[in-house]
Structure formats: structure tokens, C-alpha cells
Amino acid sequence: MRLTGFSSLCLCVSVATLLVAILKVSSVSQDIPRDRRYPAHWWAPIVDPKKPDWEILPQEARPGEVILSKRHELGLLSNFAPTPFVFHGKRYASLEGFWQMMKYPEGPDDPRAKFPGLEWKYTRDQVAQMVAFEANHAGALASDNMAKMKITWVSFEGGRFEYKPTVPGEHYKLIVEATWEKVKQNPEVKRVLLATGDLILKPDHHQEPNAPAAWRYYEILTQIRGELQKQK
């Protein structure tokens, strides 16, 4: 295929723009000192024209920080990761699946199931076996239904509690306990978490201001890491 003069010009401009971006990212990354005790690729600059708006790239970490990026093994620490665990006798495919299934009706007598005009595309058990964006999307559908019902609670084993409490409550407690089980039941997750040593763990996505404590999974993981380090 032959390029026209205009097409050639556009291609050159695109390549030049990309090169400028690469040089800029590399320059910024090199200006930040990184601890050589840890793998260099945890901070390796990434230039991705298709980067989603939600993502925080590895090179955006400040001194002493590391981004729990899904682009390398630290992504195992994400709620999205396919890291199955058993909690209260039930298997979950991921922490995200556990999180989002709490928005779904627990049975036919659940007021969420009986509310007129609502469609629940998935069952609670189906969501429990989802991972990553599939589970997140299922949760978004459920959140829409919650808004239509004008409810702000989710449930677990029949108990109802606020989904976004101002003070950490039952929801936060369950998320912490489930995160512990994910770490304990997945040896590679435990290994990777301990490998982060004393680095400050940061999320790989932008969160809403003053996000509830349960949202701050990186802080929960930091607490778990500290307890595991004491046990060594």
C-alpha cells in the first residue's frame, strides 16, 4: 500500500508525537530515585496511547511508593485478580466477585428480588464466580438497581449494612477478612505482597475523594503485610 503525501505527513506526526511522549515519560521516571532492592520493572515507564482514563501507570509512583499495577505481577494484589479463595465455606473466584455479589438478592424473599420493575441480569452465585471487569460490570448493574430502589445497603448471610459508611463498619470488616483469606490461600499473592517490603502501596486507578476505608485495598494490604512480617 502506497501512502499519499498527506498520509505520510500524518504518520510522521504520529510517530514524532509518540517519541516525544516516550522521552518525556522516561525523563520523568529517571528523575525519581527508585530503591534498588526491588525489581526495576515495577516502575518501568509505559507509554500506551490506549491507556484508560482510570489507570495510574507504574512510573507515576513517587519516591518510596509502588503502584499495584495490573501490568505486572503486583496486579495479583488487585481485587480484580483471579485469586480464588474460600470464605465462610463458599468459594469465590476473586475479591471483586465477593465484593460485587453483596449487591445482589440473597433469595426470593430478599426485597431486592421482589422490587417491581427491576431486572437482575445475574444471580448472586454467578457474580461470586466472576473476576476483573466482568465482576465490576455486574456490580455496576446492581448499583443501578440499588439507586432505583433508593437503598444504600448490601448484604451478607442475611445481614444488611451500609455500602459506603462514613465510619468503617460491617462491610469493611468483611472486606478485610476476605482479603486475608485471599492472601493466605494463594501462596503467590502472599509472596508478592511480602516482596514489596516497606514500600508504600498505591492503587493503579483513580478513586473518588474520601473513598470509604473498604475501597482503600492498598491500605488493607499494607496492614496485612505488616502482620505477616511480624510472623516471619
Side-chain angles (χ1 to χ4, degrees):
M1 180 180 70
R2 296 184 61 185
L3 295 176
T4 65
F6 179 73
S7 297
S8 299
L9 177 61
C10 290
L11 179 60
C12 290
V13 170
S14 297
V15 171
T17 301
L18 182 59
L19 286 174
V20 169
I22 292 173
L23 290 172
K24 182 178 181 181
V25 168
S26 298
S27 176
V28 171
S29 181
Q30 291 172 359
D31 290 341
I32 300 177
R34 305 300 186 188
D35 195 322
R36 295 186 179 181
R37 293 176 299 166
Y38 304 103
H41 70 265
W42 286 358
W43 298 278
I46 291 174
V47 178
D48 183 359
K50 297 182 179 180
K51 182 188 83 69
D53 291 339
W54 57 260
E55 187 178 15
I56 300 172
L57 292 172
Q59 65 265 24
E60 296 182 60
R62 293 177 295 184
E65 297 179 345
V66 68
I67 304 296
L68 301 183
S69 176
K70 298 178 182 66
R71 293 178 182 263
H72 49 60
E73 70 270 25
L74 293 184
L76 282 173
L77 304 179
S78 165
N79 291 349
F80 278 29
T83 48
F85 62 95
V86 176
F87 186 65
H88 288 217
K90 182 176 177 61
R91 181 189 182 279
Y92 298 91
S94 68
L95 203 56
E96 188 71 14
F98 172 76
W99 183 295
Q100 303 297 351
M101 69 88 195
M102 286 192 276
K103 300 176 181 178
Y104 279 75
E106 294 199 55
D109 293 329
D110 190 308
R112 291 170 292 191
K114 297 189 291 185
F115 195 85
L118 291 187
E119 175 192 2
W120 296 93
K121 187 173 181 179
Y122 307 103
T123 67
R124 190 177 177 95
D125 287 341
Q126 286 175 326
V127 178
Q129 301 311 314
M130 293 178 180
V131 302
F133 289 99
E134 182 184 27
N136 186 261
H137 175 66
L141 295 177
S143 292
D144 289 342
N145 281 351
M146 290 169 62
K148 291 173 183 175
M149 288 183 66
K150 293 183 170 53
I151 63 171
T152 57
W153 53 265
V154 292
S155 69
F156 184 72
E157 296 180 342
R160 301 178 192 173
F161 36 84
E162 285 296 307
Y163 183 54
K164 292 184 177 183
T166 53
V167 177
E170 186 63 24
H171 182 253
Y172 174 75
K173 178 182 176 183
L174 284 169
I175 295 299
V176 171
E177 291 176 353
T179 305
W180 260 109
E181 292 305 318
K182 165 185 168 171
V183 173
K184 290 191 293 186
Q185 296 178 37
N186 290 274
E188 186 63 8
V189 173
K190 180 179 178 180
R191 185 195 70 78
V192 169
L193 178 59
L194 286 172
T196 61
D198 58 1
L199 291 169
I200 300 170
L201 308 182
K202 304 298 289 185
D204 76 334
H205 58 277
H206 299 284
Q207 294 192 318
E208 61 186 62
N210 302 314
W215 268 245
R216 301 196 292 271
Y217 68 102
Y218 47 95
E219 293 181 358
I220 295 173
L221 287 167
T222 299
Q223 295 170 16
I224 292 174
R225 183 183 67 184
E227 291 300 314
L228 291 174
Q229 289 169 337
K230 292 177 184 178
Q231 297 171 13
K232 292 182 66 177

